[in-house]
Amino acid sequence: MAISKISFNAREFDTTPAFFAKINSEQVNPTITSHHTIVWETEIYDNGADYNTSTGVFVAPVTGVYNLSCWLKLSDADQDATYIYTYFQAGGKNVTFTVIDPDVYDQDNPHQNFGGSATIDLDAGDTAVVKIIQSGGANQGDFAEGYFCGHLVG
């Protein structure tokens, strides 16, 4: 499928698949003790309407190489957790981008940042999400802010 351009007020805009979504309001105590899909409920842009703000799922509209990026601030991570890690699940592959051991702190960590990016080969119809899991400790962290974005590289 060829990438086309659209015109608006004599300016051309690329319609390359691309999206940018963010957390709009704090998500309190999501269940991160299982592989939790993070939902980024506010779109900043979404060329092609390929990102779903209700599920947090991006569906690749065309086969190609995509760059995915994410940043997440987790508030009040439980210091008794063995580990917390975040990863992209995309095209049947898991790509971990941050692993932390909250036990290195002497109290619950008020602000833990996770972030990363990956370049992943996706087929048309493949999905991409950001997931988080915590092992051990209390399920008490809140998603305070963050973003998930991606675009077709080629």
Side-chain angles (χ1 to χ4, degrees), residues 10-147:
R11 292 182 58 202
E12 284 192 348
F13 295 92
D14 196 348
T15 58
T16 300
F19 71 97
F20 188 104
K22 68 177 189 137
I23 291 175
N24 193 44
S25 58
E26 186 172 43
Q27 298 174 23
V28 178
N29 291 332
T31 305
I32 64 173
T33 51
S34 63
H35 297 268
H36 177 82
T37 299
I38 300 169
V39 177
W40 318 84
E41 73 268 27
T42 301
E43 287 179 346
I44 304 303
Y45 60 83
D46 185 3
N47 292 349
D50 304 308
Y51 177 77
N52 187 316
T53 57
S54 298
T55 63
V57 176
F58 168 73
V59 179
V62 297
T63 297
V65 175
Y66 289 80
N67 181 267
L68 303 174
S69 297
C70 171
W71 170 74
L72 174 69
K73 181 169 81 173
L74 179 66
S75 297
D76 300 321
D78 187 7
Q79 80 171 90
D80 294 329
T82 306
Y83 63 81
I84 301 173
Y85 76 89
T86 50
Y87 61 100
F88 296 111
Q89 187 174 66
K93 301 174 269 301
N94 292 341
V95 180
T96 301
F97 58 84
T98 307
V99 179
I100 66 156
D101 176 4
D103 196 31
V104 300
Y105 305 107
D106 61 358
Q107 63 184 14
D108 291 345
N109 188 353
H111 302 292
Q112 181 63 53
N113 291 295
F114 297 85
S117 64
T119 303
I120 301 173
D121 180 40
L122 298 175
D123 293 329
D126 280 351
T127 61
V129 297
V130 177
K131 293 201 171 205
I132 185 169
I133 185 167
Q134 171 183 304
S135 176
N139 188 57
Q140 67 183 41
D142 303 331
F143 301 152
E145 55 188 303
Y147 66 83

